[in-house]
């Protein structure tokens, strides 16, 4: 049996991409084998113009000895536009065994040189351009012969949807997506071979305002990129006899308006079905009263092929309930704060107007709440034509909502027939890559909320929120969340596109706008932690996917950002001036301020150091020796000045905030004793707050890392599990189904933070997901060998409330899994390592003698390359394969867990309180019971910090009847 198989060939991250303009496309593949420890020794890669004939390939790498299986760049003869290139791969493993040829995959080029684009931009007649309704454009097309294949290449100034002979073309929504239109605009490619029928065909286009000229930003600015809508389109027909024909947009196309009277991204859509022009996009329709379009020149010129995955409906959700609010509104509850639209069915007399108003939450009285939408109306109106059952979903708008207020819908037996409504979830259709689950349902809910936050805000670009009058590509938010995002979904194409816009919109001086594409007023300055997206985002894509090209493409932009900072501060090593957003929304902010207490120059200098480090590391990857030297030196200087300026000689920071300590630790700005002190102070800070955080956008993503990686993992876990305000789980106790913008978007008393800035779907605080995958589950990588070529499985087992944590991640090489399970008796760890990678597996509190894998003692296990014991852990080097490790839980990891939770569980009981008070003299904190509630026994009895004397602790545990015999293992 052939055991070696090449699967999942992708090109530029996509399976069989149609319409690319990459001149040297990169191909990646995965390998399957049931044999452990499999690696690729060599590959052979061929490209052919024929799907079946590889006898005379266009390109043949020949037998190439290399482990590389990701991003193999095509180096054959120059590609031509509008051609399909087929490819296949075979590989050899370390023993010289070869696979069969893979299945054939392909890519197809669009315009490799944009000067080949011939179609003109057309716009509806000038008398019509200021109209609000969505335009219909049409063109009858005569084809002369039998067709072999046909493609449409199209884009629009606005958002558009195509139809051919009355049928929608493709499934994309909101094409051409949002780019920095004045610098670059994407076109889409559609295979319409099967939609063309006979010689006569009609191309139809619906054309709305979208991001190009519709309302954007809280100032409701219009016409940001231009004041006319336009379309440019080419239909390429290849006849069976080999000849070709092009049909292009020109002034012979006709346009008018139709049933969509209004459509705006923020505000919704108004559709009057009585105005439908039946058959407008089919043959034989009389368009004599439509106006001619005009050819216009003021449209974007830099056309690029679609880079991102398209935006699509990815799921439908059926309403959970319908109810009447205290204010008397009829409201549908989807049960999930989602982004997309409602599809409805209705049968009613002509002219019946149904109004849907979308909102995210109910207020504390149970009424639907629109306040936080600010000026975004999120209102969809449908007016019936009265011809039986009608179906409608808005096309050029999307809403962020869980609740829908329904007005005007004809009731049946006094009730709203809720089965006629369905929610359609819309976002960039990325491949799902990650799954995370634990023994704690609240944490699982948090993971789901993070994923929903990502789905709702990855609508063609990374946005801050999907509901109010923003929905903008805020750089800080994207930077904060990207690593988590890249666990949940394959974000390669998504961030490649967005980063090209970042580069395009970067200010001349290297500053980075707050939002990308930049639609905020000129002259806006740059802020730390926002502008750093220019450096952090490409680096993250590189780390996760091994994508060197994104580093090469963005390198100048990364460098310009660091050089920009270098020119800012009072000396080249500090950034201590200018406008800064600071630790945005941190809880230590002054009354009425959005900006947390951590000194802004400390944050700015810390991020300056971090970006410089990443830039230096990028220079290493790109082999730019001179820059490696320059930025290593610069980094040294920044670190030194950071210490001079912000750290006392005994290791206190000038800002005594969680965020300050977090940044100094995770950005590696403090060493030795100062570092220990910083970690200690951070932990104390969290303890002093009864295990609550105070961090905002800047500190939150790194907080748990700073604790776990500096000796305070249990504190990090308690922060995660904290369910009182402020915490991640708190929002879940208040019914959150997504991540909120503020820790107190809904306050403990049920009131709202404020109308002015209160999104219930903001992904930034979802950045904890990164730590959940990397630390709790322990799926980590060796950064010097990106893309998880060298994996580290290092789960944190025991000492916490979890009895199992399970995560898997579809890396570029294939699936990685780390799942652990803890009982009183044993520890089990399931690990999956993809072919062509290796892993170090660290089994905590294990020893070699009784560690087994699938029933065998560890020193006799296939795939295990080396075994060492260090610091109470067993460390294994393993090759690819799936492993089931089991070892006895000798070190009592569970015991700590049991005692802790039961102590917490019992607290509300009077008898317990009494017993606790009896032992309280040893407790140094003001409120003994409150503190006991949150301190683990380990902390209570740790030397130097004893809150209860050790013997007292033992008695206490016994008296509480927690365990039969007390054998405290406090290590
Ligand atoms: C956005 C944030 C953003 C911030 C910065 C807000 O309005 O929603 O997420 O990063 O502004 O000013």
């Amino acid at each position: 049996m052939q055991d070696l198989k090449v699967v999942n060939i992708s090109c530029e991250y996509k399976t069989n991409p149609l319409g690319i303009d990459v001149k040297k496309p990169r191909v990646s593949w995965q390998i399957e084998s049931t044999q452990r420890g499999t690696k690729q020794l060599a590959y052979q890669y061929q490209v052919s113009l024929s799907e079946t004939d590889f006898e005379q390939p266009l390109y043949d790498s020949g037998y190439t000895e290399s482990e590389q299986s990701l991003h193999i760049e095509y180096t054959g003869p120059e590609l031509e536009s509008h051609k399909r290139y087929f490819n296949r791969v075979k590989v050899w493993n370390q023993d010289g065994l070869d696979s069969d040829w893979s299945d054939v995959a392909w890519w197809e080029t669009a315009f490799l040189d944009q000067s080949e684009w011939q179609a003109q931009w057309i716009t509806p007649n000038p008398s019509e351009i200021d109209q609000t309704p969505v335009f219909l454009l049409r063109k009858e097309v005569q084809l002369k012969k039998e067709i072999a294949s046909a493609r449409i290449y199209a884009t629009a100034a606005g958002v558009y949807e195509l139809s051919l002979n009355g049928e929608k073309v493709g499934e994309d929504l909101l094409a051409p997506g949002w780019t920095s239109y004045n610098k670059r605009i994407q076109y889409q490619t559609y295979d319409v071979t099967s939609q063309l029928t006979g010689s006569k065909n009609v191309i139809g286009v619906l054309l709305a305002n979208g991001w190009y000229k519709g309302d954007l930003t809280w100032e409701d600015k219009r016409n940001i990129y231009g004041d006319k809508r336009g379309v440019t389109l080419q239909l390429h027909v290849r006849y069976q006899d080999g000849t070709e024909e092009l049909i292009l947009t020109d002034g012979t196309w006709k346009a008018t308006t139709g049933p969509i009277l209004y459509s705006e991204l923020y505000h919704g859509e108004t559709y009057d079905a009585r105005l439908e022009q039946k058959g407008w996009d089919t043959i034989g329709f009389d368009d004599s009263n439509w106006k001619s379009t005009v050819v216009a020149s003021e449209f974007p010129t830099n056309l690029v092929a679609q880079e991102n995955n398209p935006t699509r409906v990815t799921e439908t959700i059926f309403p959970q309930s319908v109810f009447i609010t205290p204010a008397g509104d009829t409201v549908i509850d989807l049960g999930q704060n989602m982004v997309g639209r409602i599809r409805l069915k209705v049968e009613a007399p002509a002219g019946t107007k149904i109004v849907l108003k979308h909102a995210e939450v109910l207020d504390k009285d149970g009424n639907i709440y629109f306040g936080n939408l600010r000026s975004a109306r999120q209102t969809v109106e449908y007016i019936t034509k009265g011809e039986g059952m009608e179906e409608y979903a808005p096309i050029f708008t999307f809403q962020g909502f869980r609740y829908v207020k329904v007005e005007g819908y004809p009731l049946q037996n006094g009730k709203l027939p809720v089965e006629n409504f369905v929610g359609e979830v819309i976002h960039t259709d990325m491949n799902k890559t990650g799954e995370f689950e634990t023994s704690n349902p609240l944490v699982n809910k948090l993971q789901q909320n993070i994923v929903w936050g990502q789905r709702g805000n990855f609508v063609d670009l990374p946005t801050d929120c999907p509901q109010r009058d923003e929905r903008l590509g805020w750089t800080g938010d994207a930077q904060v969340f990207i690593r988590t995002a890249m666990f949940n979904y394959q974000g390669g194409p998504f961030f490649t596109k967005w980063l090209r816009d970042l580069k395009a919109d970067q200010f001349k001086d290297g500053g980075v706008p707050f939002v990308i594409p930049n639609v905020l007023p000129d002259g806006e300055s740059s802020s730390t932690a926002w502008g750093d997206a220019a450096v952090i985002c490409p680096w993250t894509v590189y780390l996760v996917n091994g994508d060197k090209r994104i580093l090469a493409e963005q390198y100048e932009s990364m460098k310009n950002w660091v050089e920009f900072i270098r020119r800012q501060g009072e000396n080249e090593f500090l950034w201590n001036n200018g406008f800064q957003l600071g630790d945005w929304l941190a809880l230590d902010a002054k009354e009425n301020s959005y900006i947390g207490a951590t000194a802004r120059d400390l944050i700015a200098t810390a991020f300056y150091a971090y970006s410089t480090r990443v830039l230096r590391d990028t220079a290493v990857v790109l082999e730019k020796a001179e820059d490696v030297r320059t930025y290593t030196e610069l980094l040294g200087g920044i670190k030194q000045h950071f210490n001079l300026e912000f750290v006392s000689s005994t290791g206190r920071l000038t800002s005594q905030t969680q965020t300050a300590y977090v940044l100094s630790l995770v950005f590696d700005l403090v060493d030795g004793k100062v570092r220990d002190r910083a970690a200690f102070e951070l932990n104390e800070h969290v303890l002093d707050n009864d295990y609550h955080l105070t961090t905002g956008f800047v500190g939150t993503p790194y907080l748990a890392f700073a604790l776990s990686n500096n000796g305070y993992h249990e504190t990090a876990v308690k922060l995660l599990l904290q369910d009182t305000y402020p915490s991640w789980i708190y929002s879940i106790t208040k019914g959150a189904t997504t991540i909120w913008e503020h820790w107190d978007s809904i306050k403990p008393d049920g009131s709202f933070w404020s109308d002015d800035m209160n999104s219930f779907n903001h992904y930034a605080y979802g950045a904890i997901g990164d730590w959940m995958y990397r630390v709790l589950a322990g799926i980590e990588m060796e950064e010097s060998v990106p893309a998880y070529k060298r994996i580290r499985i290092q789960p944190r087992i025991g000492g916490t409330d979890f009895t199992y944590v399970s995560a898997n991640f579809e890396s570029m090489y294939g699936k990685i899994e780390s799942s652990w399970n803890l009982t009183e008796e044993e520890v089990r760890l399931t690990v999956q390592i993809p072919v062509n990678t290796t892993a170090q597996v660290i089994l905590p509190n294990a020893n070699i003698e009784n560690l087994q894998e699938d029933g065998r003692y560890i020193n006799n296990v296939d795939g295990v390359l080396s075994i060492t014991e260090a610091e109470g852990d067993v460390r294994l080097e393993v090759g690819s394969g799936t492993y089931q490790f089991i070892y006895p839980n000798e070190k009592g990891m569970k015991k700590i867990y049991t005692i802790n939770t039961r102590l917490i569980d019992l607290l509300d009981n009077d008898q317990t309180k009494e017993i606790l008070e009896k032992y309280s003299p040893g407790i140094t904190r003001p409120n003994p019971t409150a503190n006991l509630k949150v301190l683990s026994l380990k902390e209570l009895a740790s030397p130097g910090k004893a809150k209860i004397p050790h013997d007292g602790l033992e008695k206490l545990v016994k008296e509480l009847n927690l365990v039969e015999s007390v054998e405290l293992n406090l290590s």
Side-chain angles (χ1 to χ4, degrees), residues 88-107:
R88 62 178 194 173
V89 178
K90 71 182 284 176
V91 298
W92 285 259
N93 73 5
Q94 70 281 5
D95 304 323
L97 174 79
D98 64 335
S99 71
D100 283 338
W101 283 104
S102 67
D103 289 346
V104 174
W106 53 264
W107 74 76

Side-chain angles (χ1 to χ4, degrees), residues 4 50 94 98 102 156 247 337 368 529 537 556 564 626 632 744 941:
L4 196 63
S50 153
Q94 70 281 5
D98 64 335
S102 67
I247 287 114
N337 193 5
I368 188 162
C537 294
E556 280 312 300
F564 163 80
E626 182 65 37
T632 304
D744 55 349

Side-chain angles (χ1 to χ4, degrees), residues 464-465 468 470 474 477 530 581 584 697 741 757 762:
D464 56 335
C465 58
R468 68 174 178 233
E470 282 199 66
W474 283 95
D477 307 43
W530 271 250
L581 289 162
W584 188 249
F697 274 35
E741 179 172 24
M757 210 186 70
H762 235 71

Side-chain angles (χ1 to χ4, degrees), residues 189-290:
T189 303
Y190 298 102
D191 181 348
V192 291
T193 314
S194 64
Q195 268 176 286
L196 289 171
T197 50
S199 62
K200 286 187 167 179
N201 293 275
V202 176
I203 304 173
V205 183
L206 294 175
L207 179 60
N209 290 333
W211 296 281
Y212 188 85
K213 79 177 287 295
D215 289 336
L216 273 187
T217 83
W218 52 93
E219 290 171 331
D220 266 358
K221 285 200 283 180
R222 295 182 67 71
N223 303 328
I224 290 184
Y225 296 98
D227 60 2
K228 292 193 182 82
R229 282 175 263 174
V231 179
T232 180
L233 174 153
Q234 305 203 169
L235 168 63
H236 289 216
V237 179
R238 209 163 277 170
Y239 293 117
Q240 303 228 334
D241 63 7
T243 57
E244 289 183 19
E245 182 161 355
L246 295 190
I247 287 114
L248 311 173
T249 39
D250 59 24
T252 65
W253 287 54
K254 289 185 131 188
T256 190
T257 58
I260 309 181
L261 295 174
Y262 178 88
S263 196
E264 285 285 333
L265 294 166
Y266 295 166
H267 303 307
E269 196 163 289
T270 300
Y271 189 102
D272 187 342
R274 296 168 304 184
L275 302 177
E276 283 172 359
Q277 306 223 17
K278 277 198 189 83
W280 69 277
D281 52 357
T282 58
I283 276 295
F285 178 82
D286 176 10
D287 64 10
S288 53
N289 57 9
W290 287 37

Side-chain angles (χ1 to χ4, degrees), residues 413-668:
N413 305 324
K415 281 205 182 114
L416 184 76
V418 72
E419 63 280 4
N420 287 342
F421 296 80
V422 64
E424 294 186 338
V425 178
I426 292 173
H427 56 87
T428 298
D429 195 5
M430 301 161 289
N431 287 341
K432 188 144 180 44
T433 47
E435 283 172 331
F436 178 91
E437 201 190 77
T438 71
S439 50
N440 184 318
L442 292 169
V443 174
N444 299 343
K445 181 67 184 163
L446 174 64
Q447 166 65 13
Q448 287 163 18
N449 291 1
I450 294 170
V451 171
W452 275 104
Q454 179 166 358
R455 296 174 78 184
N457 283 296
F458 277 44
V459 180
D460 201 49
L461 67 154
T463 60
D464 56 335
C465 58
Q467 73 299 82
R468 68 174 178 233
D469 48 7
E470 282 199 66
R471 314 184 187 187
L472 304 174
W474 283 95
T475 47
D477 307 43
Q479 170 274 110
V480 161
F481 188 62
I482 182 171
R483 190 75 188 261
T484 301
M486 296 285 291
F487 267 112
N488 294 323
Y489 286 94
Q490 174 50 267
F494 183 85
F495 283 105
T496 301
K497 161 184 172 276
W498 185 71
L499 284 166
R500 287 179 183 162
D501 290 312
L502 186 150
K503 185 165 79 168
D505 276 349
Q506 194 162 2
F507 300 128
K508 280 207 178 61
D509 64 1
V512 175
F514 295 136
V515 301
I516 300 293
N518 185 17
V519 286
L520 296 182
D522 282 349
E524 286 278 5
S525 53
S526 307
S527 168
T528 193
W530 271 250
D532 294 285
V535 173
I536 295 170
C537 294
W539 180 250
T540 306
V541 175
Y542 162 75
L543 277 186
V544 176
N545 288 339
D547 186 340
K548 269 195 202 175
R549 188 178 282 174
I550 201 166
L551 292 184
E553 264 191 41
Q554 298 295 132
Y555 190 71
E556 280 312 300
S557 155
M558 298 165 86
K559 190 167 161 176
N560 289 343
W561 169 247
V562 170
E563 289 297 334
F564 163 80
I565 304 175
R566 196 177 190 167
R567 290 190 301 271
Q568 300 307 305
E570 78 191 15
N571 69 42
E572 65 170 321
F573 303 117
L574 288 175
W575 189 3
N576 56 358
N577 55 8
F579 174 81
Q580 300 291 1
L581 289 162
D583 193 12
W584 188 249
L585 308 188
L587 291 165
D588 45 19
K590 285 203 193 97
E591 189 76 11
N592 296 325
S593 169
Y594 293 135
I595 300 178
T598 311
R600 278 175 263 179
D601 50 358
L602 184 153
I603 298 175
T605 305
F607 269 89
Y608 177 25
Y610 181 52
S611 276
T612 303
R613 176 189 307 275
V614 172
L615 179 63
R616 192 267 321 269
D617 294 347
T618 304
V620 171
V621 174
L622 299 178
E623 296 172 36
K624 294 177 186 287
E626 182 65 37
D627 283 359
V628 173
R629 262 193 306 279
T630 309
Y631 294 110
T632 304
E633 248 168 61
L634 180 61
L635 175 60
I638 301 169
K639 189 165 168 178
Q640 192 189 358
H641 279 76
F642 182 90
N643 280 273
L644 278 173
E645 188 82 13
F646 306 113
V647 188
S648 83
S649 56
T650 53
R652 262 175 189 266
L653 293 187
T654 50
S655 282
Q656 298 280 314
T657 64
Q658 292 179 8
T659 292
Y661 285 109
V662 166
L663 297 184
S664 71
L665 289 164
V666 295
F667 293 161
D668 228 355

